[in-house]
Amino acid sequence: VTLEALAHHKPGEIRRITSAANEAVKAIRSLERKRERAESGLFLAEGARTLIEAIETGAEIIAVAHLIEAGEEAHIRLIVDAVQRRGGLILEVNREVLEKISQRDNPQTAIGVLRQRFALLDTLAPARLHRLVVLEDVRDPGNLGTILRTADALGAGAVVLLGAHTDPYGIEAVRASMGSIFAVPLVPGATDAFLAFAKAKRITLVGTHLSGARDIREIAWNDRVALVMGNEQKGLSDALAEACNVTVKIPMAGRADSLNLAVATAITLFESVRGR
Ligand code: SAM
């Protein structure tokens, strides 16, 4: 299946689809696969609230599928108008088709096909260099989505993805981000390039580690800081831990041997804000 079925249409065209065998439906469903997302640079986002967030942050929606019955609802009208103004494609679909697209029994009333957007370290606005969240080899899409939401809520400047990371534009990560994927710049990159950048910009690297040298509550925070978080299974690599200016641990009681990555990120980020 190719994405051709979404590419050829009149600007702002409205199509009514009641069969899941329709080519446009197959094209949308193909974006559940990482390879199709990588090749097309597109992804899926579900729900009217999330799509409005996308519109407000200037994301590009190339098509939207919405439930026929929801067509007159105010937020669906707003989304349809915005997509039509930009020449996108509108698909009015029945519940069966929407369930197929979202692979859920109780789908949201709208699903959009959007263009992925990655940022580069060198083009991040200087104001974004405050409180970077840096993830090494992040593996779990739910963790990544939750971290994006937390980074947005707690005012991180950007989220940097080092190494072999899970796809932030996979459906699960997008869902977990609750729309914050549109608000926080996502910067994939190589570790060496990131370290050189941090050095040039005088960003303090705070690594989080189960055997961190300092208690997280005891360090003096500044705003030009990057919080460096390790992989869910392996933790922070030795190379990255050694490159950090300081390593910190979050004290734990009980028998758990570590905190979940997204939880550890939330605590560290909050502590870095509170400490200012
Ligand atoms: N088995 C891994 C290890 O030995 O590091 C556990 C990794 S933990 C699930 C994922 C990441 O969350 C860690 O690499 C670290 O960045 C952060 N983290 C979790 N618990 C932490 C704690 N108590 N103190 C500091 N960082 C922690």
Side-chain angles (χ1 to χ4, degrees):
V1 182
T2 71
L3 287 157
E4 291 287 296
L6 296 179
H8 299 297
H9 59 84
K10 296 189 212 78
E13 182 179 332
I14 299 179
R15 278 187 213 155
R16 185 161 287 212
I17 299 177
T18 51
S19 160
N22 180 282
E23 289 303 316
V25 172
K26 288 190 201 160
I28 294 178
R29 289 198 59 186
S30 76
L31 291 172
E32 282 155 22
R33 295 193 294 275
K34 185 174 180 185
R35 203 177 124 201
E36 300 288 339
R37 288 195 300 274
E39 282 174 5
S40 63
L42 303 178
F43 72 106
L44 300 176
E46 304 162 303
R49 250 199 76 196
T50 297
L51 293 173
I52 288 172
E53 188 65 28
I55 292 163
E56 287 177 351
T57 55
E60 187 183 348
I61 307 182
I62 70 157
V64 67
H66 73 78
L67 204 56
I68 296 168
E69 302 88 279
E72 293 310 314
E73 288 175 15
H75 46 276
I76 299 289
R77 285 251 46 96
L78 196 152
I79 294 162
V80 167
D81 287 349
V83 175
Q84 280 197 305
R85 262 201 311 277
R86 304 203 47 164
L89 174 65
I90 312 295
L91 306 175
E92 297 177 339
V93 303
N94 62 11
R95 187 165 294 276
E96 182 203 337
V97 170
L98 203 63
E99 281 176 2
K100 264 277 182 314
I101 294 175
S102 71
Q103 300 208 328
R104 283 188 162 190
D105 288 343
N106 244 326
Q108 303 256 17
T109 51
I111 297 184
V113 175
L114 293 90
R115 199 168 299 287
Q116 300 176 16
R117 199 165 50 176
F118 287 105
L120 298 171
L121 282 174
D122 290 327
T123 53
L124 276 183
R128 291 252 167 224
L129 299 182
H130 291 233
R131 229 170 259 118
L132 299 177
V133 171
V134 180
L135 306 175
E136 184 180 40
D137 295 342
V138 57
R139 183 152 182 188
D140 182 274
N143 277 345
L144 178 49
T146 304
I147 290 169
L148 286 166
R149 181 179 182 182
T150 308
D152 181 16
L154 297 181
V159 171
V160 179
L161 303 172
L162 302 181
H165 56 82
T166 186
D167 181 3
Y169 287 108
I171 197 94
E172 209 188 319
V174 174
R175 262 180 204 152
S177 87
M178 295 292 289
S180 290
I181 194 159
F182 303 112
V184 184
L186 269 170
V187 192
T191 300
D192 289 351
F194 171 72
L195 292 176
F197 177 82
K199 192 167 180 193
K201 300 288 181 186
R202 300 175 192 284
I203 295 170
T204 306
L205 301 182
V206 178
T208 58
H209 202 288
L210 299 182
S211 47
R214 308 277 297 277
D215 182 314
I216 192 172
R217 295 166 298 181
E218 287 163 7
I219 72 164
W221 296 94
N222 66 55
D223 284 334
R224 276 229 158 179
V225 71
L227 314 175
V228 189
M229 312 300 302
N231 165 271
E232 289 92 338
Q233 279 79 37
K234 296 173 291 178
L236 209 53
S237 67
D238 291 345
L240 197 49
E242 276 157 29
C244 288
N245 299 88
V246 57
T247 57
V248 296
K249 58 172 179 281
I250 303 165
M252 296 186 293
R255 291 183 57 83
D257 57 13
S258 68
L259 293 156
N260 160 278
L261 169 62
V263 170
T265 306
I267 292 173
T268 308
L269 204 44
F270 188 77
E271 191 66 21
S272 77
V273 178
R274 203 179 64 87
R276 290 300 289 159

